[in-house]
Amino acid sequence: MNETRRDRDAEGRARNARPRDGLGRPLPYGTPGVERQPEGIVRTPAQTLREAQRLLDAGMPFHAHEIFEDAWKSGPEDERELWRGLAQIAVGLTHSARGNTAGGARLLRRGAGALAPFAGSGPHGIEVSGLCDWARELAERVESGPMVDAAAEAPRLRA
């Protein structure tokens, strides 16, 4: 890439084309990276949860966050906070695994707070109460300890 120009997508929007690792960190141009998630895909809730769980289990919470972001942007208004909360939890795990303990803990707690109103209904089979407990517990641990392994800490989205 020419250093004076920004990467652009097919529609001309700025989009960083640098390869990324499993935690979403940019790598030098020409370095093999993890394939990026396509943006703007409309999935069913079951497809969203299945794909996000696969990515979380693989230690790729940054990429799972992108799946949740698609659901947040395309889903019904009354579920936007649910998907946003899940995206925040995934990016909180990302920051925690990168060593950003303050940011990771903050996002884990913010995501748990966004999910909390859904605890009674368990939409789409999501284990909301368990996820909130997991996120808050992990936030406590990352504030007082070393980086976490994203794959080892991957939450279960459904019971």
Side-chain angles (χ1 to χ4, degrees):
M1 183 190 119
N2 179 331
E3 294 292 327
T4 61
R5 293 182 34 225
R6 295 180 75 184
D7 296 334
R8 301 276 175 189
D9 65 14
E11 286 80 38
R13 292 184 304 250
R15 176 154 166 88
N16 191 325
R18 284 176 62 185
R20 295 189 176 262
D21 71 5
L23 291 174
R25 293 175 289 217
L27 299 169
Y29 285 101
T31 304
V34 173
E35 187 172 334
R36 295 185 68 164
Q37 297 302 307
E39 292 182 29
I41 305 259
V42 177
R43 299 171 183 86
T44 66
Q47 291 169 327
T48 295
L49 292 166
R50 192 170 35 256
E51 181 63 7
Q53 188 70 66
R54 181 187 73 76
L55 292 163
L56 288 166
D57 292 344
M60 297 173 30
F62 175 82
H63 301 279
H65 132 270
E66 292 180 331
I67 300 298
F68 290 134
E69 196 171 86
D70 282 341
W72 164 19
K73 291 177 179 178
S74 67
E77 186 68 36
D78 62 339
E79 290 187 357
R80 294 228 168 121
E81 278 299 296
L82 171 74
W83 300 114
R84 186 172 72 89
L86 289 167
Q88 288 172 327
I89 283 176
V91 83
L93 178 55
T94 300
H95 282 283
S96 298
R98 289 177 177 175
N100 176 0
T101 57
R106 185 172 42 255
L107 282 161
L108 287 163
R109 288 189 181 104
R110 189 179 300 156
L115 290 178
F118 296 93
S121 61
H124 310 294
I126 299 170
E127 178 48 50
V128 175
S129 293
L131 271 173
C132 290
D133 291 345
W134 170 86
R136 290 182 184 115
E137 186 273 327
L138 183 59
E140 290 292 322
R141 265 194 300 127
V142 301
E143 283 179 325
S144 61
M147 291 189 308
V148 299
D149 179 307
E153 296 291 346
R156 300 303 314 154
L157 300 173
R158 292 177 158 169

